[in-house]
Amino acid sequence: MLQRKSMKRNNNSDAHTNRHPSLKTTSYPGKRIAKATLFFVSCLFISAGLLDLLGCFDLTTFTGLKQVTTIKKQPITTHHKFPDQCDVVRNQTQQQERQQLPMSEDGTENDKTGSSHSRPSTCPSYFRWIHEDLRPWRETGITRGMLEKARNNKAHFRVVILDGKVYVKKYRKSIDTRDVFTLWGILQLLRWYPGRLPDLELMFDANDRPTVRSSDYKGQQHPAPPPIFRYCSDDASLDIVFPDWSFWGWAEVNIKPWAKSMVAIQEGNKMTPWKDRVAYAYWRGNPNVAPTRRDLLTCNVSDQQDWNTRLYINDWVREPREGFKNSNLENQCTHRYKIYIEGWAWSVSEKYIMACDSMTLYVRPKYYDFFIRGMMPLQHYWPIRDNSKCTSLKHAVHWGNTHLDQARKIGEEGSRYIREEVNMEHVYDYMFHLMNEYAKLQKFKPEIPWGATEIIPDSMGCPATGRWRDFMEESMVMSPSEASPCEMPLPYSPAEFREVLERKANVTRQVELWEDQYFSNLRNGNKP
């Protein structure tokens, strides 16, 4: 067949040649010129294409064609990469690549290109407490012996950061998955500020109450205290306060990661205008974790007495079976006043209660977390006596209902503080500065202990299931911060430190005087 076609073409060529003999004499030079021209043009386009690929030349300009293809955004890079078969991060990565700008963890676009080289902002005032928490080791530093003593203090796990990698050695199981989400949070910190964390080694206790009593380490004859990290401390202890696991989600009770919860609560705030909210103090929780909460229940409304409160018990055994329908945080912003009260120690509920724009009635605490020390009574919350809750709550609600604008302002200012000062960027900045300041005190070289394992996002996220997997996906940092951490404030001077403590005490005493006067007027038959 090929032979026949070739013969046919040859015959046709001969026929044309015979009819136009003059063409035959000039065909070979013409073909050579045409081939040379074609070769030259091809080389030119190939060279232009290579230069265009390298970014040195615009092929569309050369050809005179208008470029109509869409601009493809460069994929967001991450410090670690999940395997392709693990959809925890694959789904997030695809979502991020559809955005024009890098995304922050709270789901908002961050155009930090203009500010990445500017002077960083000053950290919130509560960062100054980092200096106070580490003060016990300022003179002695932290030795390996001290660290190992912290292990004997019933630490749940050891964290080692070495050359930008995280290693963990677990000693005992924590409550629920506190340890898992705390470690997940540390991994996200390294993704947010890759390559900026120093080598360090620390011990973490994931229980509630502090264990390092300051009275055991007073005087020169006593050794320095063991440095142990935990979620809260008190005035009689030296435990180092660290953000709790719920900032990345509390899967067991369906509390979503903080960034997502905060957005939902803000939407819930809009559902009921402040002055249209129920004019009573609201609390919902588990009273069985501590005597102080059981005491609070005696302040509930009854046939005999109304203390201006509406208190409800959360049954955490029933809630999972009923789809957590009674514990949605965004549905609990319906009262003008919300009560915060500790549980076995400090309570995770604190930030969610204070984010509701309601005036927080803050029952005098024994424990503190990392951010509450920057808040002030009458500015961010209303202080409530612990030893006389019912009368104190009744007066607070009466005062608020007769000073609506002031009560609303306190509630909104407290919520603004939570939204702006305790957002995830500041949570990561707090972790960053705390770990940097801690590392400066180490007198030994961190090393990976026998039995420790390296953790990376895929080793934690891929095996997770259900809400645990969902919350890791939702709280995953997908691209490094383009801005520097906030600027760490200087330590308090002794005079400044004393002034802060005295101011809080004086304001609280003033509120208690108003309360005493209120009930004195009631007893005497005078108008409150």
Side-chain angles (χ1 to χ4, degrees), residues 302-356:
S302 67
D303 295 336
Q304 293 76 34
Q305 184 63 263
D306 187 351
W307 298 107
N308 291 339
T309 62
R310 298 296 183 263
L311 313 176
Y312 305 89
I313 296 175
N314 235 22
D315 187 343
W316 287 112
V317 175
R318 183 186 303 171
E319 278 295 294
R321 295 198 298 263
E322 298 182 353
F324 299 97
K325 65 180 183 180
N326 295 314
S327 54
N328 285 333
L329 300 170
E330 59 269 28
N331 296 335
Q332 298 181 29
C333 299
T334 55
H335 292 65
R336 292 179 184 175
Y337 317 97
K338 293 193 70 175
I339 301 168
Y340 169 77
I341 186 169
E342 294 178 332
W344 180 244
W346 124 102
S347 173
V348 165
S349 65
E350 182 182 53
K351 57 184 175 289
Y352 310 105
I353 289 171
M354 302 190 85
C356 245

Side-chain angles (χ1 to χ4, degrees), residues 180-203:
V180 172
F181 279 90
T182 300
L183 293 169
W184 178 257
I186 293 173
L187 280 181
Q188 303 319 302
L189 171 65
L190 269 70
R191 292 167 67 85
W192 188 240
Y193 291 128
R196 301 190 65 171
L197 269 293
D199 292 347
L200 60 85
E201 198 170 337
L202 62 83
M203 295 288 182

Side-chain angles (χ1 to χ4, degrees), residues 133 178 204-213 228-235 237-245 340 342-348 350 366-373:
D133 287 350
R178 293 182 177 189
F204 206 106
D205 186 338
N207 279 344
D208 289 325
R209 290 185 173 179
T211 57
V212 184
R213 313 307 294 173
I228 191 160
F229 287 67
R230 71 177 337 103
Y231 308 121
C232 75
S233 190
D234 60 30
D235 292 337
S237 303
L238 302 175
D239 301 63
I240 303 170
V241 183
F242 194 83
D244 71 84
W245 73 96
Y340 169 77
E342 294 178 332
W344 180 244
W346 124 102
S347 173
V348 165
E350 182 182 53
K366 179 180 179 183
Y367 304 96
Y368 54 79
D369 59 14
F370 74 100
F371 67 82
I372 190 61
R373 292 175 288 184

Side-chain angles (χ1 to χ4, degrees), residues 209-227:
R209 290 185 173 179
T211 57
V212 184
R213 313 307 294 173
S214 58
S215 58
D216 295 337
Y217 302 97
K218 285 184 177 179
Q220 294 184 351
Q221 70 276 17
H222 292 91

Side-chain angles (χ1 to χ4, degrees), residues 117-391:
H117 300 293
S118 61
R119 188 171 181 269
S121 61
T122 302
C123 301
S125 62
Y126 65 84
F127 280 58
R128 302 181 81 175
W129 287 90
I130 291 175
H131 301 292
E132 300 304 317
D133 287 350
L134 297 176
R135 190 174 296 279
W137 300 275
R138 285 297 178 199
E139 293 184 5
T140 63
I142 296 172
T143 65
R144 180 161 293 282
M146 295 176 191
L147 188 73
E148 297 305 326
K149 190 173 181 180
R151 173 193 170 181
N152 297 333
N153 233 45
K154 298 183 179 179
H156 283 91
F157 55 88
R158 180 195 305 254
V159 174
V160 180
I161 297 178
L162 203 59
D163 298 326
K165 298 180 179 180
V166 183
Y167 303 87
V168 176
K169 183 174 177 62
K170 294 189 176 183
Y171 299 112
R172 59 192 180 115
K173 191 179 184 308
S174 72
I175 300 171
D176 295 334
T177 47
R178 293 182 177 189
D179 54 349
V180 172
F181 279 90
T182 300
L183 293 169
W184 178 257
I186 293 173
L187 280 181
Q188 303 319 302
L189 171 65
L190 269 70
R191 292 167 67 85
W192 188 240
Y193 291 128
R196 301 190 65 171
L197 269 293
D199 292 347
L200 60 85
E201 198 170 337
L202 62 83
M203 295 288 182
F204 206 106
D205 186 338
N207 279 344
D208 289 325
R209 290 185 173 179
T211 57
V212 184
R213 313 307 294 173
S214 58
S215 58
D216 295 337
Y217 302 97
K218 285 184 177 179
Q220 294 184 351
Q221 70 276 17
H222 292 91
I228 191 160
F229 287 67
R230 71 177 337 103
Y231 308 121
C232 75
S233 190
D234 60 30
D235 292 337
S237 303
L238 302 175
D239 301 63
I240 303 170
V241 183
F242 194 83
D244 71 84
W245 73 96
S246 68
F247 282 96
W248 299 272
W250 190 357
E252 287 81 5
V253 295
N254 198 37
I255 293 180
K256 297 175 177 61
W258 173 231
K260 190 167 185 178
S261 292
M262 189 161 48
V263 172
I265 292 173
Q266 284 182 265
E267 290 302 311
N269 278 339
K270 300 174 184 177
M271 295 176 64
T272 309
W274 196 88
K275 289 186 178 181
D276 294 339
R277 296 185 181 187
V278 180
Y280 293 99
Y282 172 92
W283 180 81
R284 178 182 290 276
N286 180 7
N288 298 319
V289 296
T292 186
R293 287 194 174 184
R294 291 192 290 272
D295 184 47
L296 174 65
L297 286 186
T298 65
C299 304
N300 212 351
V301 61
S302 67
D303 295 336
Q304 293 76 34
Q305 184 63 263
D306 187 351
W307 298 107
N308 291 339
T309 62
R310 298 296 183 263
L311 313 176
Y312 305 89
I313 296 175
N314 235 22
D315 187 343
W316 287 112
V317 175
R318 183 186 303 171
E319 278 295 294
R321 295 198 298 263
E322 298 182 353
F324 299 97
K325 65 180 183 180
N326 295 314
S327 54
N328 285 333
L329 300 170
E330 59 269 28
N331 296 335
Q332 298 181 29
C333 299
T334 55
H335 292 65
R336 292 179 184 175
Y337 317 97
K338 293 193 70 175
I339 301 168
Y340 169 77
I341 186 169
E342 294 178 332
W344 180 244
W346 124 102
S347 173
V348 165
S349 65
E350 182 182 53
K351 57 184 175 289
Y352 310 105
I353 289 171
M354 302 190 85
C356 245
D357 280 352
S358 305
M359 185 171 82
T360 300
L361 309 184
Y362 202 97
V363 179
R364 178 176 290 182
K366 179 180 179 183
Y367 304 96
Y368 54 79
D369 59 14
F370 74 100
F371 67 82
I372 190 61
R373 292 175 288 184
M375 303 184 82
M376 297 296 295
L378 287 193
Q379 181 182 351
H380 303 110
Y381 62 88
W382 182 280
I384 298 295
R385 283 172 163 151
D386 182 46
N387 58 359
S388 183
K389 298 180 184 71
C390 300
T391 54

